[in-house]
Every structure is written in structure tokens, then in C-alpha cells.
Amino acid sequence: MSSTGSTYGDIHRYEPARESTAAAIAIVLLTVVEVVFVFMFTYGLVNGWGLSDTGNMFLGGILAVIFIDLAFILALYRKEFLPDVVIVKKRRRKWEDLYIRGDDVDGETLGGDAWEQVKRAVYPYYKR
Amino acid sequence: MTDASDEPTGARAVDSGSADDGAADDSIEALRAEVEEKYDFDDFGPADMAEMTAEEWNAAFDPDAWITGRNLLDRVERDLRNQIASREVFAVLDRRTDPPSVVAYSDEGWAVVYEDGSVEGEGTVLRDVKPTVALCSMDSYEVRDPPEAYELPTPEEVEGGTGEFGNLMIQAVAAMQILGGLGLFVAWLFLGVETIVAPVMGGFFLILGVLLFGLVANARLSDRFRAEEYRDRLRAAGITDPGEDAEFVPFEEVAEEALAAARGEGSRSLDTSVSPGDDAGESVGASADPSGPETDG
């Protein structure tokens, strides 16, 4: 693992899922609502609820509820039912890395010709 | 803060605070006043640092203002315990007496903190420990009391397969979506539902259901692999299940070798492999070169 000299991908922290009681109750309720509304939407569409103006809006509302509810279910699932994993990643350059020293304030000039710059931007392994 | 160039004596920065004699004291006071005059310490940059002479630096630097010695090591150890307990740092802690130092090591590096505040080491552990030493040498930094059981978990304490209840719920939603999608298709095909909306929504639901099932499958798989990987890394860092012997090079050996290499006492390559066929302890914080000759540390 470390003999390769690269530590990227190493697991730095692995904490099991929290699975708090409140989250469990919430996700059960949301799931029940989701199931009911999916069934209701299907039933309504087959029975022609959408043929009247109000019914059509009602069906649209049900569809909206289905997807919003699903979003909340997934958010809860991510937060409470997946383990907390931290992985070693490559630190990308950020803007705050640019002017660490006072004499760097003028930045660096973009040397070379433009075509080289394009190649470098498109192809990550281009020679430095 | 760090110097890996020479053997720390452990009493370098401690004794310079005691007064020698009156004359020297006066000249130091005078120089200190001069330095205060000359440099603006509120806006002190690298350029000023380069301009400063060694005498000026010694005059301006008041060793009594910093915590050193045993006290520093205790504080560093407590702070690192806190960080390991909150899993911010992946390392095993150790106190050594010859010379007095705090040692933190993992499979990816190591760090040794001496009484005078110098740090040696390499890798991620060194990077994590350095700021801790700086903080702990300041009076104003409060070190919280670490929890009793701060250590990293043993490999058998790492439990994979948690969150199964959440997986079940997601699967219930996915199953319902697929049923609804199929229902819409069937209605469109056989029950005389004319509208095009039915199959479109049906397809939508089907895709959603399949995606959710895929999500759960991926979560379970990656969870199993990651738990296993984490156990492997813990074993590589020398933490073993109770009743198992670590196939692991003692820290002292590795550290001595690495230190020797770092100080350039002969550019011998290091070989820390214990026995062929073990993957724990391969290169514990040292850049192992399997092709190199055997060195006895």
C-alpha cells in the first residue's frame, strides 16, 4: 500500500452508520408516504383523473410530492444510514494557494505559445 | 520549528532563559529594545526574517514565552489523543524516554516530537503533528482532556454492513416505483389507456427503481470492501486483534533506520520487510526498497 509511495485512496476514517431512532422513524414514515403516493399516481392516471382540469393539477401535485419525498428519503439515507468514510485524496490547487508569499503578488506570466497552452489544458499528461 | 539536521539534546531552548550575569543581561535588553524599534512585529514577513541577524533573533526570541520540555510533550500527547479520538489523525501514539519524546506513527509515516519542540518524521503523520506542536507550545492554547479510550479501533471492532435498515427502506421505495412503472405500461398496453403520458411516466418510474436498486447494491459492495480495506490499514499500522501477534517491525528499529537515512549517515537503502509473505508492516513509515541490501538497524 504505502510501498508504492502514493497514499491516495487510503481510508483515513471509517465510522459505522449512526442509525439514530429518530432517523429510522422519519425514513419509515417518508417511505410509507412515498409508496402510497406512487400507488395513487398510477391508479389515478389509469382511471382518467387527468381528464378534468382540477384532476390534472391534482395528478401533477402528486407527482411533485413523490419526487420531493424521494429527495428527503435519499438525504436521510445518506446522512444516517451510510458509514462515514474519509479517503485520502489529491489536494488540488486552490485560489488561496496562489499568493502565499508577498513577492508572488504579481503572479506568473503565461509563457510559451497559445497552442501549447491549449494542449496542456486538454491533455492532462502533456509534458511539463 | 523543525530541524532534522542534528541530534536534539533536549535542553537547547530550555536553559537560555536563565539569566547569566548582569552585563550580558543589559546588553540583551538593549538589543531587544533595538530590535523592537527596527522591526514591526505586527507586520513581520519573510523579507524581515531574512534581514534579521542571529543575534537580533536571539534577543527578540524569549524562550520563557513558550512551553517546552516535559510539559510540552505532555500537552502534545494529550492533544494528539484528542485528535486520534475524533479520528482526525490516523496514528498510534507512543512515549519514549531516550531521548524523551512523543512518537506517532502509522503505515503512512511517522513523527517524533522532542522536548525542545523540534519535530522529525515524514508523511501524513508529520503533516498532522507539526501544527499541534506549534499550538501546544503556546500558553494561550487550551488542551482539552482526551477521552479514556482514544485509540484507533482494532480490526475486529470495525463493523461493516451497517445501515441495513436504510437499505431496506430504499429497496421498498425502489420496488414500489418499479411496480408502478410496470402497472402504467400494462394499463397502456391492455387496459385501453390512450394517453402517451402513461408509458412515459412508466418508463420514468422504472428507471428510477432500477437506479435506487443500483444505489443500494453499490452501497453494500463498497461498504464491504471499504471496511476490509480499513481493517487492512489498521493492521498495517500495527494494530492487531487481541490474541494475534503483529507481524510488525518494532517502531524503534524503523525509526532509527529512517533517522539515520534522513541525517545522511550513509545513503543506505532501507529494508524493513520482516518475512516474505506478510503484508503488515511493509514499510512502516520508511521508504522501503525491496531490492536494497539488508541492513541491521
Side-chain angles (χ1 to χ4, degrees):
Chain A
M1 199 155 64
S2 58
S3 54
T4 58
S6 153
T7 66
Y8 300 140
D10 274 2
I11 300 213
H12 182 85
R13 177 165 76 199
Y14 182 99
E15 296 291 308
R18 267 195 295 274
E19 300 191 278
S20 63
T21 321
I25 294 169
I27 206 168
V28 167
L29 290 179
L30 286 172
T31 305
V32 168
V33 170
E34 173 86 7
V35 166
V36 166
F37 273 70
V38 167
F39 172 75
M40 209 152 102
F41 178 83
T42 313
Y43 178 83
L45 199 69
V46 171
N47 273 298
W49 290 1
L51 296 177
S52 70
D53 281 354
T54 323
N56 196 15
M57 278 195 284
F58 186 63
L59 272 185
I62 290 179
L63 198 56
V65 168
I66 285 173
F67 286 116
I68 291 170
D69 193 22
L70 186 61
F72 278 101
I73 289 176
L74 287 177
L76 257 180
Y77 174 71
R78 242 197 77 246
K79 190 172 176 302
E80 296 280 345
F81 295 94
L82 286 181
D84 173 13
V85 182
V86 174
I87 290 181
V88 179
K89 284 199 174 176
K90 189 174 173 58
R91 187 178 189 280
R92 310 270 171 209
R93 288 263 310 245
K94 300 182 177 63
W95 287 110
E96 60 260 31
D97 298 338
L98 271 181
Y99 306 124
I100 286 181
R101 326 193 83 97
D103 29 339
D104 284 349
V105 74
D106 297 327
E108 293 176 33
T109 49
L110 278 177
D113 62 310
W115 183 232
E116 291 285 302
Q117 295 286 338
V118 171
K119 280 193 212 165
R120 200 153 286 157
V122 171
Y123 181 55
Y125 302 108
Y126 190 65
K127 64 175 195 308
R128 291 286 163 203
Chain B
M1 207 67 223
T2 67
D3 59 333
S5 54
D6 55 346
E7 181 79 53
T9 53
R12 200 185 314 151
V14 189
D15 57 358
S16 49
S18 55
D20 318 319
D21 53 344
D25 231 31
D26 283 348
S27 70
I28 283 196
E29 283 302 326
L31 192 54
R32 185 171 294 174
E34 202 177 293
V35 169
E36 298 277 349
E37 188 97 356
K38 189 169 165 188
Y39 300 101
D40 176 15
F41 282 110
D42 294 333
D43 183 21
F44 193 79
D48 299 313
M49 185 81 203
E51 199 182 315
M52 237 178 180
T53 63
E55 289 80 27
E56 285 176 334
W57 174 250
N58 276 333
F61 180 76
D62 181 9
D64 290 345
W66 303 92
I67 297 173
T68 51
R70 214 173 134 185
N71 208 346
L72 171 69
L73 291 190
D74 288 340
R75 281 168 63 96
V76 166
E77 185 175 20
R78 277 171 55 212
D79 199 54
L80 281 177
R81 282 187 181 203
N82 272 324
Q83 292 187 52
I84 292 172
S86 61
R87 303 283 181 263
E88 286 162 25
V89 173
F90 184 94
V92 181
L93 268 187
D94 217 347
R95 270 301 269 275
R96 296 170 76 206
T97 48
D98 183 32
S101 53
V102 173
V103 171
Y105 60 93
S106 77
D107 56 333
E108 296 297 357
W110 52 277
V112 188
V113 184
Y114 296 101
E115 281 190 323
D116 62 349
S118 55
V119 190
E120 286 180 286
E122 63 180 30
T124 47
V125 180
L126 176 67
R127 199 194 57 202
D128 290 336
V129 165
K130 265 187 189 176
T132 299
V133 178
L135 276 175
C136 288
S137 62
M138 296 179 197
D139 252 334
S140 52
Y141 180 64
E142 294 274 330
V143 183
R144 286 175 297 121
D145 278 327
E148 200 58 45
Y150 71 94
E151 292 102 340
L152 294 171
T154 59
E156 69 170 13
E157 281 171 356
V158 177
E159 44 172 339
T162 51
E164 209 38 56
F165 183 73
N167 286 342
L168 186 73
M169 287 298 128
I170 299 279
Q171 279 171 317
V173 172
M176 203 60 211
Q177 298 271 23
I178 286 185
L179 272 180
L182 285 178
L184 284 175
F185 262 113
V186 168
W188 185 64
L189 289 173
F190 306 113
L191 301 184
V193 177
E194 292 293 318
T195 170
I196 191 67
V197 174
V200 169
M201 280 320 296
F204 225 52
F205 278 0
L206 276 179
I207 290 171
L208 251 181
V210 170
L211 276 179
L212 287 176
F213 271 128
L215 182 94
V216 171
N218 174 55
R220 279 182 174 159
L221 260 181
S222 67
D223 181 57
R224 194 185 316 155
F225 280 106
R226 278 172 172 168
E228 195 44 54
E229 234 177 285
Y230 191 60
R231 286 188 203 107
D232 284 346
R233 192 170 176 211
L234 288 169
R235 287 191 197 106
I239 306 165
T240 47
D241 295 323
E244 260 183 60
D245 282 339
E247 291 246 21
F248 186 64
V249 191
F251 172 80
E252 271 75 8
E253 271 180 44
V254 181
E256 293 311 322
E257 281 190 3
L259 284 180
R263 297 199 184 106
E265 293 178 5
S267 53
R268 304 175 303 178
S269 61
L270 304 161
D271 188 355
T272 55
S273 55
V274 197
S275 61
D278 75 322
D279 54 349
E282 59 165 333
S283 76
V284 188
S287 51
D289 180 7
S291 62
E294 285 268 342
T295 59
D296 37 0

